[in-house]
Amino acid sequence: MNNFNQEFPEFLKTFEQNLKHLFQEKHNIDQLSLQRGLPPELLTEIMDHVPLSVAVPSAFGGRGCKVKECLGILSAASYESLSLSLTFGINIALFLEPVAKYGDDEIKKGIFDKFLKAQNMGGLMITEPNFGSDALNMRTTSKETESGYKIKGTKHWQGLTGMANYWIVAARNEGADGSLARDIDFFVCEDAIAAQQIQVEEYYDNAGLYLIPYGLNQLDLTVPKNQRLKPETTGIKMMLDILHRSRMQFPGMGMGFIKRMLDEAYHQCDNRKVGVGNLLGMDNVKFQISRLQAAYTICSAMCAKSSSISGIENNLATEGLEANTMKTVVTDLMQESAQLLVQLSGAKGYRTSHIGGRGIMDSRPFQIFEGSNEMLYAQIGEMIIKGMKKQKQPQLYQYLKEFPLTVKSADYFKAELSFSPDEQLAQRKLVDLGRIVARIICVGYVIELAEKGFRKELVENCIIMLQQEVASLITSLRFNNKVVEVSDYHMDSLWLDFA
């Protein structure tokens, strides 16, 4: 077990060396990733270093819930295995931090001790079969009794299904007349206690992230009153605070993964001989490697920004714009990075046992869970249009050059942004606007990182890449496309009749 008094660089280095030994020397991660689940002995060896101590408050023996340390552990894990990093991310952002911030003091020590000393794990249950992103209409119910709360419902697609020792379960209070409260409550459940045990009805055949179990869960639980999380104001705001903090930790999971894609791509192109040279001698390959380096730079900037703003001492319920920006952009970059590596690797990259081919499938759900990217981009677009209306500023550039998150970056896009978007944008256009604004916000993060001394050439190249991307997105936003689906499309459309 590690000494939690170690300086973090030493703690992280030891953990990275251990993971490299376990995944690249003692075990073969490429072969392990062909089967479902992580071998118990391997998980034990990983958890022996108590990586989750970074998300346990120092008052309870942990390293203190410092965002920088949490992201460092997530990044170290995702360099070797995105599934492992997500396992840690679920534990940190969706269980340990919420318990640290909102849990009753009576239950904290017992829970944190089991994470530090007994390799326990925890997760969060919100999503239901009929209510995904529409969480406010969930049907899981809670009823207060003399001794605690009775919880009934169905949840699914929870990472660590059947594997976690603890769960935070979201439910709505059921009134005497059967009506459900608008607000949401959260309860901690301990699987080792019979009355709190969640029944797994089915395990899903998830297409990626093989090492993490997902499934369908039936809940019929009784929990003590002190296992209800205590919101600062409302349960909905508590949920937003938890989810926004989680989205701001996605860059940690993205960081190591993108770096691995970049390292593998560079190694492939440097060693792959073409004629008298190698792949790196080709102009388009240089461009693709530069795309990966831009992703590395953007993600680095997000990690630095998140470290300064997303600690549990801050309430992030109203910080949807930055949370959505980090989640959407970094997950788009993760998917693109995997696609680029596979393209550069040729046929050998199109295998589950290749980190690129596996990376495509493992990174794809990141664009979907905790809010699909299209939905979150549309929300960003809505926030910007709403802000422009409030300030009575019709021109996009004029608004963004005064907006706090884009004040440093707007001038890089002045020519493209000097127009007035329609106040009643169609949803598809709100998605475009959200993509644009998210990337301009990211340029602001990159500039802030440059001011701290980050590699100048990487910053300059990254900004040029984002300028090109924004220019393309502006064209999409301003193009008049109102096409909708054609009903009965199969009528008069069989090509065989016209050949």
Side-chain angles (χ1 to χ4, degrees):
M1 184 176 290
N2 271 279
N3 180 357
F4 301 152
N5 294 321
Q6 276 183 313
E7 290 297 320
F8 183 65
E10 185 183 351
F11 180 83
L12 182 62
K13 184 178 180 181
T14 303
F15 182 61
E16 288 174 336
Q17 290 171 339
N18 179 54
L19 287 184
K20 183 177 181 181
H21 168 69
L22 291 175
F23 282 115
Q24 297 184 34
E25 297 165 12
K26 187 171 183 178
H27 303 271
N28 185 337
I29 183 61
D30 292 333
Q31 292 305 309
L32 285 178
S33 296
L34 297 176
Q35 60 194 47
R36 294 193 179 273
L38 201 61
E41 66 277 11
L42 174 55
L43 183 60
T44 297
E45 290 176 294
I46 293 168
M47 299 305 289
D48 274 346
H49 285 253
V50 202
L52 297 180
S53 62
V54 294
V56 174
S58 53
F60 296 94
R63 293 191 58 87
C65 290
K66 298 170 187 170
V67 178
K68 177 180 176 180
E69 296 194 4
C70 293
L71 299 188
I73 288 294
L74 294 177
S75 178
S78 67
Y79 190 86
E80 302 296 342
S81 165
L82 191 53
S83 292
L84 179 64
S85 186
L86 180 56
T87 296
F88 290 163
I90 292 166
N91 275 278
I92 292 170
L94 301 181
F95 186 81
L96 288 170
E97 289 179 336
V99 168
K101 182 166 184 176
Y102 296 109
D104 191 297
D105 288 340
E106 293 178 1
I107 68 170
K108 288 182 181 180
K109 187 178 188 307
I111 291 173
F112 292 140
D113 276 353
K114 288 185 179 178
F115 274 77
L116 295 174
K117 300 171 184 176
Q119 300 190 344
N120 274 201
M121 290 195 176
L124 173 66
M125 291 191 168
I126 295 179
T127 307
E128 300 181 5
N130 294 320
F131 302 95
S133 297
D134 186 21
L136 297 183
N137 281 312
M138 69 176 68
R139 289 295 179 267
T140 300
T141 62
S142 66
K143 278 187 177 181
E144 188 169 3
T145 65
E146 286 187 13
S147 58
Y149 295 91
K150 185 76 175 173
I151 301 167
K152 285 191 175 184
T154 305
K155 300 288 188 183
H156 77 158
W157 279 115
Q158 282 74 42
L160 309 182
T161 290
M163 177 180 172
N165 308 92
Y166 287 94
W167 290 97
I168 293 175
V169 175
R172 296 166 67 194
N173 183 259
E174 183 178 359
D177 61 354
S179 63
L180 298 182
R182 181 177 177 273
D183 204 16
I184 293 172
D185 290 314
F186 289 86
F187 304 89
V188 177
C189 302
E190 184 175 1
D191 203 60
I193 298 172
Q196 300 177 37
Q197 196 170 67
I198 291 166
Q199 301 301 316
V200 181
E201 190 168 292
E202 175 188 356
Y203 282 102
Y204 291 158
D205 56 339
N206 36 294
L209 300 170
Y210 274 19
L211 303 185
I212 302 178
Y214 290 88
L216 178 68
N217 302 283
Q218 292 298 334
L219 285 62
D220 188 357
L221 319 170
T222 302
V223 301
K225 289 188 177 181
N226 64 3
Q227 288 180 209
R228 175 179 173 268
L229 297 187
K230 298 183 290 188
E232 293 173 346
T233 51
T234 67
I236 290 175
K237 287 186 177 179
M238 177 169 63
M239 180 173 72
L240 289 173
D241 177 53
I242 291 169
L243 293 180
H244 290 167
R245 182 168 294 100
S246 176
R247 289 172 191 167
M248 288 189 186
Q249 292 193 13
F250 272 56
M253 294 183 282
M255 190 70 251
F257 179 79
I258 290 170
K259 186 177 188 302
R260 182 66 179 273
M261 298 299 108
L262 173 56
D263 288 350
E264 294 284 342
Y266 196 88
H267 181 266
Q268 159 73 10
C269 296
D270 192 37
N271 288 279
R272 180 71 170 186
K273 303 303 178 185
V274 180
V276 296
N278 60 17
L279 279 176
L280 277 175
M282 302 177 69
D283 177 66
N284 192 54
V285 170
K286 292 179 184 290
F287 174 72
Q288 290 174 312
I289 295 290
S290 296
R291 287 288 303 170
L292 285 162
Q293 289 183 340
Y296 170 84
T297 303
I298 295 165
C299 194
S300 298
M302 285 186 188
C303 286
K305 184 68 174 181
S306 179
S307 295
S308 68
I309 64 174
S310 68
I312 60 173
E313 68 275 8
N314 302 318
N315 192 304
L316 306 178
T318 59
E319 304 305 320
L321 184 53
E322 284 195 269
N324 287 8
T325 292
M326 289 190 188
K327 191 273 185 185
T328 53
V329 176
V330 78
T331 55
D332 282 353
L333 292 174
M334 290 164 70
Q335 175 69 189
E336 183 190 10
S337 296
Q339 295 280 0
L340 284 170
L341 174 58
V342 168
Q343 191 70 23
L344 291 167
S345 299
K348 70 178 182 180
Y350 194 64
R351 300 175 67 175
T352 306
S353 58
H354 186 276
I355 194 164
R358 184 165 71 249
I360 288 176
M361 295 308 294
D362 285 351
S363 63
R364 183 65 180 95
F366 282 72
Q367 295 174 298
I368 301 169
F369 58 56
E370 283 202 39
S372 73
N373 282 8
E374 285 72 19
M375 180 184 79
L376 300 183
Y377 278 131
Q379 289 177 359
I380 293 172
E382 288 168 355
M383 291 179 216
I384 295 301
I385 292 295
K386 186 177 179 180
M388 293 173 71
K389 286 181 183 177
K390 188 174 180 180
Q391 292 193 13
K392 298 180 178 172
Q393 174 53 262
Q395 201 206 52
L396 188 56
Y397 167 72
Q398 293 295 331
Y399 177 75
L400 293 180
K401 78 171 188 176
E402 302 293 337
F403 189 61
L405 296 179
T406 52
V407 67
K408 292 183 178 181
S409 54
D411 281 343
Y412 286 93
F413 306 91
K414 183 176 180 180
E416 292 84 2
L417 296 175
S418 295
F419 71 98
S420 299
D422 190 338
E423 287 189 0
Q424 301 297 325
L425 282 178
Q427 189 179 47
R428 68 187 73 179
K429 298 300 182 182
L430 285 172
V431 173
D432 286 337
L433 179 60
R435 290 184 192 276
I436 292 163
V437 172
R439 280 150 183 79
I440 296 171
I441 289 172
C442 287
V443 171
Y445 295 157
V446 170
I447 292 169
E448 288 180 10
L449 191 64
E451 291 169 350
K452 296 175 181 177
F454 194 79
R455 181 77 177 266
K456 182 181 177 183
E457 298 94 326
L458 288 174
V459 168
E460 291 173 347
N461 289 353
C462 175
I463 291 175
I464 291 171
M465 288 289 187
L466 284 169
Q467 283 177 312
Q468 179 182 2
E469 192 171 354
V470 168
S472 176
L473 289 166
I474 292 280
T475 300
S476 176
L477 173 65
R478 302 186 70 178
F479 188 85
N480 185 22
N481 182 346
K482 297 180 180 178
V483 169
V484 296
E485 82 287 354
V486 175
S487 59
D488 299 325
Y489 78 93
H490 55 280
M491 302 292 290
D492 301 321
S493 65
L494 181 63
W495 72 268
L496 288 166
D497 293 340
F498 305 100

